Amino acid sequence: MRTDRLILAAALGVALSWSSLSPASAEPWKQQGDWLVRARGLVVAPNEDASIRPIGGNVSINNSFVPELDFTYFMTNNLALELILATTPHDAKALGTSVGDVDLGHVWLIPPTLSLQYHFDPLTELGISPYLGVGINYTIFHREDTPGDVVTDSSFDNSFGYALQAGVDVPLGGNFFLNADVKRLWLDTDASFETTVGHVDADVTIDPWIVGLGVGYKF
């Protein structure tokens, strides 16, 4: 957890240091009323933890690489709303339980996230424009698939969370631009499993880092 806080602080620190620079002669290219549409590839890296009853142990959730689509609307020249749309598959295991390591199966997550962003004016003649964001997330769990040997059924509760974000847009010419983005979601779920040794409940913390790189178009 300490490492995660340091990474997040470093990302935000870099973005804040950008904001302290004096803008160059480049004119702002993102303005009130603009729409940005981005297509990104995402790495979703959970920072998982769990309390599993009554068998104890912890949880392991694999990373996932997925495509993502997002939409941004500028309410002013600097304030914007962003909505991201993606779905991510994950395999989960319970480790170190009283019955050994247990394959918990496969589940998909849909984590739509709405963020309020502040976009800084271009900081160089290239038009490089960083931004910071804070948002709310509602994660939907679906397509649960259990292995059937020890775990025969699974259920995950949908849940609200919140997010912090730092990113940068770099014009490529015309209305196209390059985007790099880092988000941290705070996400928990209550999970339940039917197993060959009885009913199992788990309070699961997922808290993923979401790192994206892609291209966008301004309308």
Side-chain angles (χ1 to χ4, degrees):
M1 296 297 290
R2 178 177 173 80
T3 300
D4 291 332
R5 289 195 294 268
L6 289 174
I7 294 173
L8 181 60
L12 294 177
V14 169
L16 289 172
S17 68
W18 284 338
S19 69
S20 66
L21 298 176
S22 297
S25 58
E27 291 294 326
W29 57 274
K30 298 183 285 189
Q31 299 178 348
Q32 182 178 5
D34 285 348
W35 283 90
L36 306 183
V37 179
R38 303 183 187 90
R40 292 187 283 221
L42 300 183
V43 176
V44 182
N47 181 48
E48 65 272 39
D49 192 17
S51 172
I52 305 174
R53 303 175 301 275
I55 61 175
N58 208 333
V59 68
S60 174
I61 303 172
N62 74 317
N63 297 346
S64 181
F65 179 78
V66 296
E68 175 254 27
L69 188 66
D70 69 82
F71 303 89
T72 301
Y73 175 72
F74 278 79
M75 301 177 293
T76 71
N77 287 356
N78 299 102
L79 290 177
L81 290 174
E82 179 198 70
L83 178 66
I84 68 168
L85 302 173
T87 183
T88 69
H90 295 279
D91 295 317
K93 294 182 179 180
L95 305 178
T97 76
S98 60
V99 294
D101 295 347
V102 179
D103 184 358
L104 299 176
H106 190 77
V107 63
W108 287 72
L109 282 65
I110 300 177
T113 303
L114 180 65
S115 297
L116 175 65
Q117 301 173 328
Y118 184 86
H119 290 250
F120 300 102
D121 290 339
L123 303 180
T124 75
E125 293 181 356
L126 296 177
I128 296 173
S129 176
Y131 57 86
L132 296 174
V134 59
I136 188 168
N137 162 266
Y138 184 71
T139 296
I140 302 166
F141 295 83
H142 69 116
R143 294 174 61 181
E144 297 93 339
D145 183 18
T146 55
D149 47 0
V150 176
V151 178
T152 58
D153 192 22
S154 62
S155 176
F156 300 84
D157 290 345
N158 301 339
S159 64
F160 282 98
Y162 60 98
L164 290 178
Q165 174 186 35
V168 62
D169 293 318
V170 181
L172 295 176
N175 285 354
F176 289 94
F177 60 93
L178 179 70
N179 173 261
D181 185 275
V182 178
K183 291 183 180 70
R184 174 65 188 271
L185 300 187
W186 279 263
L187 170 62
D188 300 312
T189 184
D190 294 326
S192 61
F193 305 92
E194 299 301 329
T195 78
T196 55
V197 297
H199 183 79
V200 173
D201 290 314
D203 300 324
V204 182
T205 298
I206 302 174
D207 289 358
W209 286 96
I210 302 177
V211 180
L213 181 66
V215 295
Y217 187 84
K218 183 187 74 169
F219 292 91

